[in-house]
Structure formats: structure tokens, C-alpha cells
Amino acid sequence: MVTVNRQELMEAIGRAARAVNNRSTVPIMEHLSVEVREDVLTVTGADGDLFVQGMVGVIGGETEPFCAHAGWLKTVVGGITTPTVHFGTEK
């Protein structure tokens, strides 16, 4: 489980989402990769030619990396009203 500042996470998602093409013929290219290592959350977006990353410090341990649709991730995190976001994955 990790804890991250919601506003900083939104900024990282927005930065990485700039590289994502929402009308890609390859659906995975509409997704962002989210990974936590050594107390840093990295959000990566790519369009096949370039990639853009946003990074945020987190509290807690590591969690399994995952991919999520960029639009969905922005909507979900944007809808959270608390100042921090807690999430994790189970193995």
C-alpha cells in the first residue's frame, strides 16, 4: 500500500497523458503505465515514438506495476476529494 498527494498525482498523470493518443489504432497506446519503486511513483505515457514521465514521491512500500486507460485514470483520481490517495495491488 502506498500513499501519494492527490494533486501531485494528478499533475504526473496530466504530464504523462500528453504523450498518449486517445484515438490510437493500438488500444494499449491509450494507457499509462504506473510503477512505484524506492518511494517514487512513475507514470509513463507513450505514443510509439516518444514517452513522457511524471514522477511523485510516495509514502509506503512498493506495489505491483499496472497499466490503466489514461482517461479513466484522470477521471478516477480527479474525482477523489481527499488530499491523499492510497492504493496498492495484491500478488
Side-chain angles (χ1 to χ4, degrees), residues 3-21:
T3 302
V4 61
N5 178 284
R6 189 189 70 80
Q7 185 60 39
E8 291 177 7
L9 178 58
M10 281 299 295
E11 290 171 9
I13 291 169
R15 190 173 307 118
R18 291 183 193 138
V20 175
N21 183 347

Side-chain angles (χ1 to χ4, degrees), residues 26 53 60 85:
V26 182
Q53 292 183 319
V85 176

Side-chain angles (χ1 to χ4, degrees), residues 5 9 12 19 21 23 27 36 57 61 67 69 72 82:
N5 178 284
L9 178 58
N21 183 347
R23 297 179 185 223
V36 177
C67 289
H69 190 276
W72 178 85
T82 60

Side-chain angles (χ1 to χ4, degrees), residues 3 9 12 17 21 24-26 40-42 50 52 60-61 65 71-72 75 77 80 85 88 90:
T3 302
L9 178 58
N21 183 347
S24 176
T25 57
V26 182
V40 176
L41 180 142
T42 304
L50 66 102
V52 177
W72 178 85
T75 299
V77 175
I80 296 172
V85 176
E90 293 184 21

Side-chain angles (χ1 to χ4, degrees), residues 1-90:
M1 180 73 72
V2 297
T3 302
V4 61
N5 178 284
R6 189 189 70 80
Q7 185 60 39
E8 291 177 7
L9 178 58
M10 281 299 295
E11 290 171 9
I13 291 169
R15 190 173 307 118
R18 291 183 193 138
V20 175
N21 183 347
N22 290 329
R23 297 179 185 223
S24 176
T25 57
V26 182
I28 192 65
M29 301 306 285
E30 298 173 5
H31 289 65
L32 297 174
S33 170
V34 180
E35 182 175 20
V36 177
R37 290 191 186 196
E38 299 179 12
D39 296 330
V40 176
L41 180 142
T42 304
V43 183
T44 305
D47 71 355
D49 292 324
L50 66 102
F51 69 91
V52 177
Q53 292 183 319
M55 294 182 217
V56 179
V58 298
I59 298 171
E62 295 183 10
T63 186
E64 294 295 315
F66 64 92
C67 289
H69 190 276
W72 178 85
L73 196 55
K74 289 195 306 190
T75 299
V76 169
V77 175
I80 296 172
T81 59
T82 60
T84 57
V85 176
H86 309 279
F87 69 90
T89 55
E90 293 184 21

